[in-house]
Amino acid sequence: MVAERAGTSIATVSLVVNGKDRGRVSAPIASRVRDAVDELGYVVDHAASSLARGTGDLVVLIAPDLSNPFFAEVIRGVRDTLGDRYQLVLSVTERGAQPSTADLRRFERLRPAGILVDAPAAGESLDASVPVVLLDAPDAPESAVTVDYDLSPGIDELVAHLREQGHEHVVYLDGTARVATFGIRHRMFDGACAAAGITVSELGARADLTVDAAAAATEHAIEAWHEDGVTAVVAAADTLAYGVLRVAGAMGLRVPEDLAVAGFDDLPSSSVTAPALTSVALPGAELGRAAALRLLAALDGTAVEPVALPARLVRRASTGG
Amino acid sequence: MVAERAGTSIATVSLVVNGKDRGRVSAPIASRVRDAVDELGYVVDHAASSLARGTGDLVVLIAPDLSNPFFAEVIRGVRDTLGDRYQLVLSVTERGAQPSTADLRRFERLRPAGILVDAPAAGESLDASVPVVLLDAPDAPESAVTVDYDLSPGIDELVAHLREQGHEHVVYLDGTARVATFGIRHRMFDGACAAAGITVSELGARADLTVDAAAAATEHAIEAWHEDGVTAVVAAADTLAYGVLRVAGAMGLRVPEDLAVAGFDDLPSSSVTAPALTSVALPGAELGRAAALRLLAALDGTAVEPVALPARLVRRASTGG
DNA sequence: CTGAAAGCGCTTACAG
DNA sequence: CTGAAAGCGCTTACAG
C-alpha cells in the first residue's frame, strides 16, 4: 500500500479512503493522507477490498442478447438509478439464450453487492447468496423479488382497437425465446380476443427476435394466413413486427388495408417504420429504474413491495390507428 | 476452502481445480477432489483468486450508451469470439458520454485480464496497466492497439451515388458526441463532395444520437435547408436519419423526390423505415470480433497487426437507390 | 506425488 | 486518536 508515504499506518489510510475517519483520525493526518492519495493516483484494489470485507460494490445486470433495443432502455434506467455508490456491470447471454441459474453462479464469484436478472429463462430457481431482483419474470416464485409489467390494460386496448377496426380473424406471431413474459402475452392476447369475439388463427408462427427471422417466418406463412382469412397480425415484439412489415411491403400488400400489423415494446424506431407501427408500449427505462430501486432497498435492508408497471397501447398507422 | 473434505490439502485442490494437476497430482486423488467439488457445488472465489495471482479472467468492454443498436452488434462479436476462457462484462457510460480514461481507471481496480474500449472520447490517453484495445478510435496514438473502419470506400460510393441521382447541394447532420469517428465521417464526406462537385450547405446541424433529438433538430432547420436549395441530407448515423425521415413524413415531403436521406451504420431496422434507408454499412459484429481477436493475441503474447474494416454503401429507396 | 507456509492488498476489531 | 495484527480465500514456490 504505497500511500503510507503519508507517514502514517496502513490502517489509517484505509479508514480515510473509506470515509470512516470521522472521529477516528485527526484532521491534519486525514488531509495528509488525502493529498498522498491524490498525488500517487492511488485507487483501492477491488479484489483485496472485497475479499477482506466479504462483498464488493459491484452490481451485475444479466440480460439476454442486446439486439433488442428494448434492453438498452432497461439498462439506462438501472444505470441512472444506481448512482455511483455501486458500479454497474452488464453481462449478456448468448444470442437467443435467456439468463439462467448457471449465469447467476458465474457472477456470484465476483462477490457483487447484488444481481439483477432481466427476462430470465422460465422455470429456473434463480436464487443466490446475494440479493437478486428479477425483471420481467412473471412466473417467478412468490419468494422472489420481482418487477413486472401489468400487460392487461395494453392488451385489452389493443384487442378493442382491432375490433373497432373491423378485424374478426387475426394471427399471432410469437417469439421463440423461452421467456415467461412471451407465454403470458400470448395467453392474454388469446383470452382478450375470445372475450371480444375475435378468433385467433391456428396458423400462428414463431421466430427468433430479429427482423430477418421474422421476415423469413412471415414469408413462409403469409400465403396461408391470407387463405385463412386473417386480416391482422399481432407480433410478440416490435422487432418481429418489422419483419412482417418488410415482407408485406415487398409483396405489395397495403398496411393496414390488406393486412394490419401490431407489436409489443414500442421501440423508438417504431414511429418511423413504413407505416408507423401500433404497439403495446412497455416502458423499459421505468422497468430498470424500479428494479434498481428495489435492489437498493434490499441492500439497505428496507422493505420492498411488488411492482407491476402498466402497459398501454400506442396507436399508429399500421392498424389504421 | 470447503472442498478439502476430499481428504487432501488445500494446495492440491487448487491445483486440480485450475487444471494444473498433470504430473503433479495422482489420478485417484484428483478424481476424489473433482467429486467433492461437484457435490459441494464449489466454485473458486474470484476476488481471492485474482488477488493471489495478480490478475483475473474478466474482460471488460466499455461502450457508450447502448441506445444505438450498433453497439449490440459489436458486443455480440466480442462475446462470440472471446469464448469461455474469459468472462466478458460490459460497462456503459452515461447517456451521451464517451468512454474516458476515468472509466478505464474504475475498471482497472477489478484486475481484469484486458479491457476493450469502444468509441472512446477524442483526445484521451487511455492507457492502463492491463492490455487495452480500442475500437473505432481513429485518432488514437500510434502506440495504441486499435481496430477501426476504413470509411473511404463507403463514403466515396455514397457521394458518387448522390451525384448520379442529380444532387448538387446537400447538407450534413452531425452527431453531438465528441467521438473521433464522427469528425472523420464529416471531414471525409466534405472532401468527397468537393471532389465530386457537390457543395455542402453551411446550414449543417447536429443532434444527440436519438430519433427524437434528430427530429427536433430537423424540424428546426428544414425550412432553411429548403430555402438554401438542399436536395439531400446525409446523417452521421442511421438513428439521426430516422429523425429526418419522421419529420419529412410528418410534413408531407416525399423521400427521395423532395428530399433524399442517407445515414451511417446500416442498422437492422434501416430496411424497414419509410422509405427504406440508404446507409454506409459499418459491420459492428466484425468490429467486435476483430477487437476480441486482438485482445486474445495480446494476452497470449502474440504479435498483432492493425486492422481497418472496409465500409460499403447499401443503396435503398431513401435516395432513389 | 503431496503438504505446510508465505503472500496477494485490503479491512476491522483490538490494544495502546 | 493511532498502529500492530489477524484474517478474507486463494495460488505458488518450496520442502519433504
Side-chain angles (χ1 to χ4, degrees):
Chain A
M1 197 167 181
V2 222
E4 48 180 312
R5 286 204 203 158
T8 178
S9 77
I10 294 182
T12 304
V13 171
S14 177
L15 288 176
V16 173
V17 166
N18 289 297
K20 297 189 178 168
D21 54 327
R22 288 208 59 74
R24 318 257 288 98
V25 178
S26 65
I29 295 218
S31 74
R32 225 166 354 116
V33 169
R34 268 186 277 271
D35 288 351
V37 164
D38 286 350
E39 279 169 34
L40 280 65
Y42 169 76
V43 48
V44 339
D45 184 277
H46 185 264
S49 168
S50 50
L51 217 211
R53 70 167 111 208
T55 180
D57 64 350
L58 239 46
V59 167
V60 358
L61 167 55
I62 308 178
D65 181 72
L66 295 173
S67 53
N68 189 341
F70 171 74
F71 292 113
E73 292 293 302
V74 176
I75 291 162
R76 199 160 55 75
V78 171
R79 241 209 79 93
D80 292 350
T81 308
L82 226 42
D84 36 41
R85 207 172 113 206
Y86 296 98
Q87 167 92 72
L88 176 67
V89 300
L90 270 49
S91 169
V92 305
T93 61
E94 274 179 70
R95 180 156 214 147
Q98 302 305 128
S100 66
T101 304
D103 293 309
L104 222 52
R105 288 289 157 279
R106 258 218 306 293
F107 284 100
E108 260 182 305
R109 301 187 318 145
L110 297 186
R111 295 172 172 257
I115 302 183
L116 265 17
V117 187
D118 196 351
E124 297 265 340
S125 66
L126 296 166
D127 53 331
S129 53
V130 299
V132 172
V133 0
L134 270 26
L135 292 75
D136 219 350
D139 71 332
E142 281 297 315
S143 58
V145 178
T146 59
V147 182
D148 288 311
Y149 288 116
D150 175 12
L151 296 171
S152 42
I155 290 179
D156 288 347
E157 283 181 74
L158 170 62
V159 169
H161 172 61
L162 291 175
R163 193 74 194 78
E164 272 168 33
Q165 301 290 322
H167 299 284
E168 297 179 340
H169 191 56
V170 305
V171 72
Y172 192 80
L173 177 57
D174 208 346
T176 46
R178 223 170 48 84
V179 211
T181 184
F182 278 2
I184 293 196
R185 289 177 200 184
H186 197 163
R187 269 201 304 286
M188 284 186 122
F189 179 74
D190 282 355
C193 282
I198 296 179
T199 56
V200 179
S201 169
E202 300 292 319
L203 300 173
R206 40 179 54 218
D208 284 353
L209 275 198
T210 66
V211 177
D212 287 339
T218 302
E219 236 156 30
H220 188 75
I222 198 164
E223 203 60 55
W225 289 346
H226 181 71
E227 286 167 14
D228 192 43
V230 160
T231 59
V233 20
V234 172
D238 280 3
T239 44
L240 295 175
Y242 295 170
V244 179
L245 290 181
R246 184 201 283 175
V247 172
M251 295 179 61
L253 290 177
R254 290 167 308 160
V255 176
E257 295 83 353
D258 300 328
L259 189 70
V261 181
F264 279 80
D265 285 344
D266 188 30
L267 300 182
S269 42
S270 293
S271 59
V272 289
T273 50
L277 185 67
T278 292
S279 186
V280 176
L282 270 23
E286 282 172 41
L287 188 75
R289 208 169 299 137
L293 283 176
R294 288 168 73 74
L295 182 63
L296 251 20
L299 293 174
D300 290 342
T302 317
V304 284
E305 26 192 272
V307 177
L309 306 168
R312 54 175 229 294
L313 184 69
V314 177
R315 286 156 221 235
R316 296 206 186 86
S318 71
T319 54
Chain B
M1 199 170 180
V2 222
E4 49 181 311
R5 287 202 203 159
T8 177
S9 78
I10 294 181
T12 304
V13 171
S14 176
L15 289 176
V16 173
V17 166
N18 289 297
K20 297 190 178 168
D21 55 328
R22 290 207 58 72
R24 317 259 286 100
V25 179
S26 65
I29 294 217
S31 72
R32 216 148 24 97
V33 169
R34 268 185 277 269
D35 288 351
V37 165
D38 286 351
E39 281 169 33
L40 282 63
Y42 170 76
V43 48
V44 341
D45 183 278
H46 185 264
S49 168
S50 51
L51 217 211
R53 69 167 113 209
T55 179
D57 64 350
L58 240 46
V59 167
V60 357
L61 167 55
I62 307 178
D65 180 71
L66 294 173
S67 54
N68 189 341
F70 171 74
F71 292 113
E73 291 293 302
V74 176
I75 291 163
R76 198 160 57 75
V78 171
R79 241 208 78 92
D80 293 350
T81 308
L82 226 41
D84 36 42
R85 207 173 114 205
Y86 296 100
Q87 168 90 74
L88 176 66
V89 301
L90 270 48
S91 169
V92 305
T93 61
E94 274 179 69
R95 180 154 215 148
Q98 302 305 128
S100 66
T101 304
D103 294 309
L104 222 53
R105 287 290 158 279
R106 259 218 304 293
F107 283 99
E108 260 182 306
R109 298 187 319 145
L110 297 186
R111 295 171 172 257
I115 302 182
L116 265 18
V117 186
D118 195 351
E124 297 265 340
S125 66
L126 296 167
D127 53 331
S129 53
V130 300
V132 172
V133 2
L134 271 25
L135 293 73
D136 219 349
D139 70 333
E142 281 297 314
S143 58
V145 178
T146 59
V147 181
D148 288 312
Y149 287 116
D150 175 11
L151 297 170
S152 43
I155 289 179
D156 287 348
E157 283 180 74
L158 170 61
V159 169
H161 172 61
L162 290 175
R163 195 72 193 80
E164 270 167 36
Q165 301 291 323
H167 297 284
E168 297 180 340
H169 190 56
V170 304
V171 71
Y172 192 80
L173 177 57
D174 207 347
T176 46
R178 223 170 49 85
V179 212
T181 182
F182 278 3
I184 293 196
R185 288 177 200 185
H186 198 163
R187 268 201 303 286
M188 286 185 116
F189 179 73
D190 281 355
C193 282
I198 295 180
T199 55
V200 178
S201 169
E202 299 291 319
L203 301 173
R206 39 179 54 216
D208 284 352
L209 275 197
T210 67
V211 177
D212 287 339
T218 302
E219 237 156 28
H220 189 73
I222 198 164
E223 203 60 53
W225 289 345
H226 181 68
E227 285 168 16
D228 193 44
V230 160
T231 58
V233 20
V234 172
D238 280 4
T239 45
L240 295 175
Y242 295 170
V244 179
L245 290 181
R246 185 202 280 175
V247 173
M251 294 179 61
L253 289 178
R254 291 167 307 159
V255 176
E257 294 82 354
D258 300 328
L259 188 71
V261 181
F264 279 81
D265 284 344
D266 190 29
L267 300 181
S269 43
S270 294
S271 60
V272 289
T273 50
L277 185 69
T278 291
S279 187
V280 176
L282 270 21
E286 282 171 42
L287 188 75
R289 209 170 297 137
L293 283 176
R294 288 168 71 76
L295 181 64
L296 251 19
L299 292 174
D300 290 341
T302 317
V304 285
E305 25 192 273
V307 176
L309 306 168
R312 56 176 226 294
L313 184 69
V314 177
R315 287 157 222 235
R316 297 207 186 85
S318 70
T319 54

